[in-house]
Amino acid sequence: MGREHLTNDEFFTQLGNLFELNRKKGHGSIILTQKRLTYDSTSTPPTPTKVADDPLWDTHPENPLPILIRACNNKSSKREGTDRDDVEKIALSTIVKPDDLDGFFARYAEACKTGMSGLKKRDRKKGKKGKKDKKKGAAGETKA
Amino acid sequence: MPYFKTSAEWYEQSSLLLKARPSSTRITSKYAVRKPTAAKIKKREKYAAKQPEKPADLTRTSSPPPQSQSPDEPTTTFTLKTYDPESGTCLQYETNKAAEVGRLVGNLGRLGRSMAALPEAPEDASAPAGSGDGVSTPKPEESGDVKMGGVPSTSAPAATGGKKKKKGKK
């Protein structure tokens, strides 16, 4: 793909916008992809080099490899009789270095949690009642 | 292309696939909000019309079922898909619960580690992602199973353990 990769920070702001757009629209999808980045344009040999003798050549590379993260929305086109409108496809991508992986995914999880607001919330009423009972029971047990 | 019943199962199988083919496997997660079709709206209306008769018999005050859903409310899903184009393996898991997202993305992070050819995630690093949203995952057992020799049968108790915990919390 010809487009340039964003930095991790930019990626998160753009991802936030993407979720926001989706929320405003009321429907639509967000697609997130992650994969190993095996081809690096800056260094000459693609890492790791394929070894003909070893069929499992890619299972044990010498160095940790970066990960490519992509995000996009769905393109939609105007349709009469519905509230569908022309929406351009927005595609984002970023590269996560192996060292930043844990930090990135912590932020990623937060971004997804806030962005995916359409999913079903937990049933609060039911949950609370159960929890209280449990807590009382647990407290009694520990005391006794 | 199977849909797994539990996310733990999905995680385990995905991790095995990733170990076998780390360079070609990709993980796609899709958050989709869809408007229901006309047929679906009709079906929901029918269901809603039927509903009020039932609770009267049961006289259960505590938990009115999700009747708040209006017929034309969009359907929202979060689907995880691990796909390896070389072998054509495709593993999927789908949920509609917001509470699971944090844990699932945490799983993505742990799978990302093996993608990046880093060693297995240390327990403490992966713990906050799981515990943050209050849904517990059987972490230690899981990461034990993930080793190449892991037999699917050993994972079963781990998965059920997680379920039990969840039930207890609610």
Side-chain angles (χ1 to χ4, degrees):
Chain A
M1 274 180 236
R3 66 169 180 278
E4 299 210 344
H5 298 296
L6 302 168
T7 64
N8 290 358
D9 290 327
E10 278 175 60
F11 178 80
F12 279 116
T13 33
Q14 297 279 334
L15 183 64
N17 293 345
L18 208 60
F19 275 122
E20 184 62 23
L21 273 177
N22 194 48
R23 200 180 58 76
K24 267 187 202 152
K25 198 167 58 151
H27 58 102
S29 318
I30 305 273
I31 299 153
L32 308 159
T33 309
Q34 69 184 71
K35 62 186 289 193
R36 175 184 276 189
L37 188 71
T38 43
Y39 180 72
D40 188 0
S41 51
T42 52
S43 67
T44 30
T47 46
T49 35
K50 202 163 185 164
V51 185
D53 301 338
D54 188 2
L56 299 172
W57 59 276
D58 60 350
T59 54
H60 42 70
E62 289 159 32
N63 302 312
L65 293 158
I67 283 183
L68 174 65
I69 309 270
R70 291 198 187 116
C72 72
N73 64 348
N74 62 318
K75 181 188 155 83
S76 83
S77 40
K78 202 173 173 66
R79 203 164 99 187
E80 292 307 318
T82 63
D83 59 350
R84 257 171 68 168
D85 222 339
D86 280 323
V87 177
E88 280 297 301
K89 181 165 175 165
I90 303 166
L92 318 164
S93 63
T94 189
I95 293 169
V96 186
K97 293 192 193 74
D99 307 333
D100 312 338
L101 208 71
D102 290 330
F104 178 87
F105 272 99
R107 284 182 71 186
Y108 196 46
E110 279 309 309
C112 290
K113 264 195 258 180
T114 46
M116 300 180 185
S117 50
L119 293 167
K120 273 189 187 154
K121 305 279 180 309
R122 215 180 296 223
D123 197 346
R124 288 285 167 200
K125 273 183 207 162
K126 215 169 140 192
K128 256 185 193 170
K129 210 187 169 196
K131 253 183 200 171
K132 263 184 196 168
D133 291 351
K134 263 273 129 116
K135 266 182 193 167
K136 268 180 199 167
E141 273 169 24
T142 46
K143 270 174 196 169
Chain B
M1 43 178 234
Y3 272 98
F4 289 108
K5 291 251 169 58
T6 64
S7 61
E9 213 177 332
W10 174 85
Y11 171 74
E12 198 212 333
Q13 295 296 324
S14 299
S15 135
L16 290 175
L17 176 61
L18 215 53
K19 283 231 165 69
R21 295 178 182 273
S23 292
S24 55
T25 304
R26 61 170 176 250
I27 302 174
T28 308
S29 31
K30 179 174 166 185
Y31 167 71
V33 184
R34 288 183 220 88
K35 292 216 164 157
T37 58
K40 184 81 183 168
I41 292 174
K42 229 180 211 173
K43 198 175 165 190
R44 281 183 185 169
E45 274 168 353
K46 236 181 186 173
Y47 178 77
K50 239 193 241 170
Q51 265 324 89
E53 300 155 22
K54 278 186 184 169
D57 313 335
L58 295 168
T59 59
R60 289 273 296 199
T61 49
S62 59
S63 58
Q67 27 79 287
S68 54
Q69 194 187 41
S70 70
D72 55 352
E73 197 174 283
T75 314
T76 312
T77 54
F78 185 47
T79 312
L80 296 170
K81 181 158 85 175
T82 316
Y83 178 59
D84 168 36
E86 271 179 34
S87 62
T89 320
C90 182
L91 312 165
Q92 296 190 86
Y93 176 71
E94 188 178 86
T95 186
N96 60 0
K97 291 182 191 69
E100 271 190 294
V101 172
R103 181 160 48 100
L104 292 175
V105 178
N107 278 350
L108 287 183
R110 287 194 286 153
L111 291 171
R113 284 186 76 88
S114 51
M115 235 181 220
L118 286 167
E120 286 285 307
E123 297 307 317
D124 53 338
S126 59
S131 55
D133 52 359
V135 183
S136 55
T137 2
K139 287 262 158 54
E141 299 97 306
E142 234 177 68
S143 52
D145 288 339
V146 159
K147 303 240 166 64
M148 273 309 269
V151 195
S153 61
T154 54
S155 75
T160 47
K163 256 184 197 163
K164 262 178 208 160
K165 263 186 209 166
K166 254 192 256 170
K167 265 180 201 163
K169 275 206 166 177
K170 270 175 199 169

